[in-house]
Amino acid sequence: MQRAVSVVACLGFRLQAFPPALSRPLSCTQEVLRRTPLYDFHLAHGGKMVAFAGWSLPVQYRDSHTDSHLHTRQHCSLFDVSHMLQTKILGSDRVKLMESLVVGDIAELRPNQGTLSLFTNEAGGILDDLIVTNTSEGHLYVVSNAGCWEKDLALMQDKLRELQNQGRDVGLEVSDNALLALQGPTAAQVLQAGVADDLRKLPFMTSAVMEVFGVSGCRVTRCGYTGEDGVEISVPVAGAVHLATALLKNPEVKLAGLAARDSLRLEAGLCLYGNDINEHTTPVEGSLSWTLGKRRRAAMDFPGAEVIVPQLKGKVQRRRVGLMCEGAPMRAHSPILNMEGIKIGTVTSGCPSPSLKKNVAMGYVPCEYSRPGTMLLVEVRRKQQMAVVSKMPFVPTNYYTLK
C-alpha cells in the first residue's frame, strides 16, 4: 500500500532518487516533517531517518537492507507504519458512505472481517488503496496511505457532509493511534506470548481488540505488506514505545525500515500507490479486478463503474505484469521494449530480489505482451537487456488461513 516512491535500491542498499519531496535523506530537506510516536525510539536504535510522504521515517537500521529483508522472510520484523491514515466511520449509514467511494462489497463483510479496496474516481482511476474492516464495535476501521492523507480525508469528509445533509446517520473520526506491523513466519508465535486471545482463531484479514503485552485497547489485524504471515497493531500512543520495546525483547524480532518494506512488498507482487497504481490506472489495468465486489459489479454503483465494468468483459489496452531479468536491476521509469526494440511500456517498480537473487519488477505492457513467459527487452542505463514476463507474486505468500 505505501504510497509515493520506491525507497529500495540495489543489494547493499542505496536510496533511489525519485520525486525529491517524497523520499530523501533528512539533510536534504527544508520541510517540516511529521514524526511518529516512535521517532526517538528509532534514533535510539540506530534508525537512519529519511523524509517519506511528509514524515520522518527509518529507511533502515544497523543491519543491511538485505539482512533485514531476509530476516523478515525467515523470522519476523517490526515496522513502524504509524504514518498511515487511520479513520473510523460511524453510524447506521457507515456502509452507505464507504460503498459510495470504494469498489468493494463492504456490506457483506462479517464482524471483524476486512478487505483491501480501492477509492476510484468517475473516470475509473484509482485514488488510493485501503483496508476496510467491519468491526464488531459498530464502526468501520479504515487504513489508507500517508501520501494520500489529505486527499483521502477530504474525499470521506465531503461524502460525510453530503450524507449528513440528507439526514443520514454517519460520522467520521481520525485516530491518533500508532500503528506497528509485526511481519514474518514467527510473528504469531512472538505475539501470542503477550496476548490472552488464541491467535490461531484470527485468520488473514480478520481483526480483534485485545490487550497486547499489557497495553489495553489494541486492535490486532492479521494482515501486512510483506506477503508473510503477520499483524498490524493499532496501539494507543501512550503505549506505543512500551509495546515496541516488549516485542523487541524476543530475539526473533528485529526492527526493519522502508527499504526492506519496499523489496518485501515487491517480491509479494503488491502495489505501491503512486508508482504501480494511480489516478490514471483502472483496477482492471492494475490487475486488481478481484477487489471489485460481485454485487457491486452487477449494480454498477461505485465511482467509475461505467468505465471499469466493461473492461472486465472486453479488452484493456494495457496490464500490470511482473518482470524478471538478469544483469543490471530494473528501476521505475525504465522503458520496456518488444523484441524489435520498440517501446511498449514502462517499469513502475523494480529492485534486486534478496530472496531470489534475481532482478524483479512490475510495469505496464499492452495485453498482447502480458502472458507469462513472454520475452521482452528492458532498457537499463541506456543498454537493452532481456526480461521475461513472470507470474506474481515472485515469492509465494504465506498468509495464515484457517484449515
Side-chain angles (χ1 to χ4, degrees), residues 8 17 30 52 85 94 172 188 213 215 272 288 305 326 340 390 395 402-403:
V8 154
Q30 304 300 314
F52 180 82
L85 173 61
R94 59 190 180 277
L172 182 151
F213 286 99
V215 182
L272 179 73
L288 294 169
E326 307 285 345
E340 287 71 49
S390 304
V395 173
L402 295 178
K403 301 295 185 285

Side-chain angles (χ1 to χ4, degrees), residues 306-351:
E306 291 185 2
V307 175
I308 296 167
V309 172
Q311 289 183 345
L312 292 166
K313 302 166 185 173
K315 215 174 186 182
V316 289
Q317 292 191 329
R318 59 176 191 151
R319 282 194 184 273
R320 178 174 63 93
V321 298
L323 298 165
M324 295 182 73
C325 79
E326 307 285 345
M330 299 169 280
R331 301 291 182 201
H333 312 301
S334 295
I336 303 170
L337 319 170
N338 64 17
M339 296 304 291
E340 287 71 49
I342 299 168
K343 182 179 176 182
I344 58 168
T346 305
V347 171
T348 54
S349 289
C351 73

Side-chain angles (χ1 to χ4, degrees), residues 199-221:
L199 296 178
R200 292 174 299 181
K201 297 178 181 177
L202 191 75
F204 182 59
M205 294 307 290
T206 62
S207 177
V209 175
M210 61 187 77
E211 182 177 294
V212 184
F213 286 99
V215 182
S216 59
C218 294
R219 175 167 293 282
V220 177
T221 305

Side-chain angles (χ1 to χ4, degrees), residues 26-218:
L26 292 186
S27 59
C28 299
T29 181
Q30 304 300 314
E31 65 193 306
V32 176
L33 298 172
R34 300 180 69 175
R35 295 178 176 182
T36 76
L38 292 169
Y39 177 82
D40 291 333
F41 177 87
H42 297 313
L43 294 181
H45 287 82
K48 298 176 183 177
M49 311 302 284
V50 298
F52 180 82
W55 292 77
S56 176
L57 293 170
V59 70
Q60 67 182 107
Y61 295 84
R62 296 185 179 101
D63 290 337
S64 72
H65 158 234
T66 304
D67 288 346
S68 182
H69 176 112
L70 294 175
H71 183 85
T72 312
R73 290 274 182 248
Q74 296 157 8
H75 303 279
C76 68
S77 296
L78 182 64
F79 300 82
D80 179 11
V81 292
S82 305
H83 57 301
M84 307 287 276
L85 173 61
Q86 300 177 72
T87 52
K88 294 179 180 179
I89 310 297
L90 310 130
S92 59
D93 290 310
R94 59 190 180 277
V95 170
K96 182 176 182 63
L97 183 147
M98 191 51 56
E99 288 198 347
S100 71
L101 300 174
V102 303
V103 300
D105 191 341
I106 308 305
E108 76 167 1
L109 293 176
R110 297 184 299 275
N112 292 322
Q113 182 186 14
T115 185
L116 177 73
S117 198
L118 307 169
F119 287 133
T120 48
N121 60 27
E122 292 299 335
I126 300 170
L127 296 171
D128 198 8
D129 57 332
L130 62 154
I131 291 178
V132 183
T133 300
N134 176 29
T135 75
S136 59
E137 291 77 32
H139 65 267
L140 300 177
Y141 170 59
V142 180
V143 180
S144 56
N145 287 307
C148 299
W149 183 295
E150 290 82 7
K151 178 174 71 174
D152 290 354
L153 195 53
L155 184 72
M156 290 185 283
Q157 288 174 334
D158 286 349
K159 183 57 68 172
L160 176 78
R161 283 189 290 269
E162 178 186 322
L163 292 178
Q164 286 177 337
N165 288 339
Q166 296 171 6
R168 300 286 184 173
D169 174 29
V170 65
L172 182 151
E173 293 177 6
V174 176
S175 171
D176 64 356
N177 277 9
L179 191 62
L180 302 180
L182 186 67
Q183 298 285 301
T186 60
Q189 168 196 319
V190 168
L191 190 63
Q192 188 64 75
V195 302
D197 297 59
D198 185 354
L199 296 178
R200 292 174 299 181
K201 297 178 181 177
L202 191 75
F204 182 59
M205 294 307 290
T206 62
S207 177
V209 175
M210 61 187 77
E211 182 177 294
V212 184
F213 286 99
V215 182
S216 59
C218 294

